[in-house]
Amino acid sequence: DKYVEVFSPNLSVENFIVSITFVNPFDTSTTGNWDYGIFFRDADGEAQYRLVILSNQTWTLIDSKTKRYVDSNASGSITSKGGEENTIWLIVSNEKAYLFINSVYMKSLNVSRVLSGDIMPATGVYYGNAKAQKKTNFHDFVVWSLP
């Protein structure tokens, strides 16, 4: 469908550490592409940062308020086969976010819109990446608030 699936714990934090492990929902060779990630600093349901992990072993950070890509890159440390897992750590402090995927440091990212908001696991971010009768599981979703 054309909707992004999110889990909202209804948090309101500005600076934080979040850790989550996603389970890849299926093999791309038989079913198609998938994506999942973390929406953060979500103030009103539409204006948030969207960190997205894609089945082609890339990650992207989007500022949904300005509809601009903040950064993106490929990484061989991202697993892509069905049933494999990817653990994301994101440390957000003021105007910087530090991204780790599967214990590998990716990059420091500019998140200059500093505001409090929710932190939400999400899937089906890009149109066509959600498949009928398929689900994306996650576990060990933990958020620590920072001063």
Side-chain angles (χ1 to χ4, degrees):
D1 60 26
K2 57 185 172 186
Y3 298 101
V4 177
E5 302 298 327
V6 298
F7 167 73
S8 175
N10 294 313
L11 300 173
S12 182
V13 293
E14 182 177 302
N15 297 315
F16 58 88
I17 300 170
V18 60
S19 175
I20 187 169
T21 299
F22 286 96
V23 180
N24 298 341
F26 47 79
D27 284 319
T28 57
S29 61
T30 58
T31 309
N33 296 323
W34 50 258
D35 66 50
Y36 48 68
I38 303 167
F39 291 8
F40 62 97
R41 288 186 171 166
D42 177 72
D44 63 9
E46 289 297 321
Q48 73 271 121
Y49 286 101
R50 295 179 171 196
L51 173 66
V52 184
I53 309 299
L54 295 117
S55 57
N56 66 357
Q57 294 182 289
T58 62
W59 60 265
T60 301
L61 181 64
I62 302 163
D63 182 339
S64 71
K65 182 175 177 85
T66 62
K67 300 191 182 340
R68 294 180 190 232
Y69 285 88
V70 176
D71 211 331
S72 64
N73 210 339
S75 175
S77 68
I78 298 172
T79 67
S80 60
K81 292 187 169 120
E84 292 181 331
E85 297 182 339
N86 287 298
T87 299
I88 302 167
W89 281 80
L90 188 65
I91 303 166
V92 178
S93 179
N94 300 317
E95 296 184 356
K96 291 290 183 188
Y98 305 92
L99 173 62
F100 297 80
I101 302 174
N102 296 326
S103 301
V104 177
Y105 175 69
M106 297 290 129
K107 194 166 192 181
S108 169
L109 303 159
N110 180 355
V111 289
S112 57
R113 276 191 311 103
V114 179
L115 51 102
S116 292
D118 207 356
I119 302 169
M120 304 175 290
T123 188
V125 180
Y126 290 104
Y127 184 77
N129 283 355
K131 304 293 184 239
Q133 308 299 315
K134 300 292 181 184
K135 65 181 178 176
T136 301
N137 291 316
F138 65 88
H139 57 88
D140 300 327
F141 175 51
V142 181
V143 178
W144 296 270
S145 179
L146 297 175

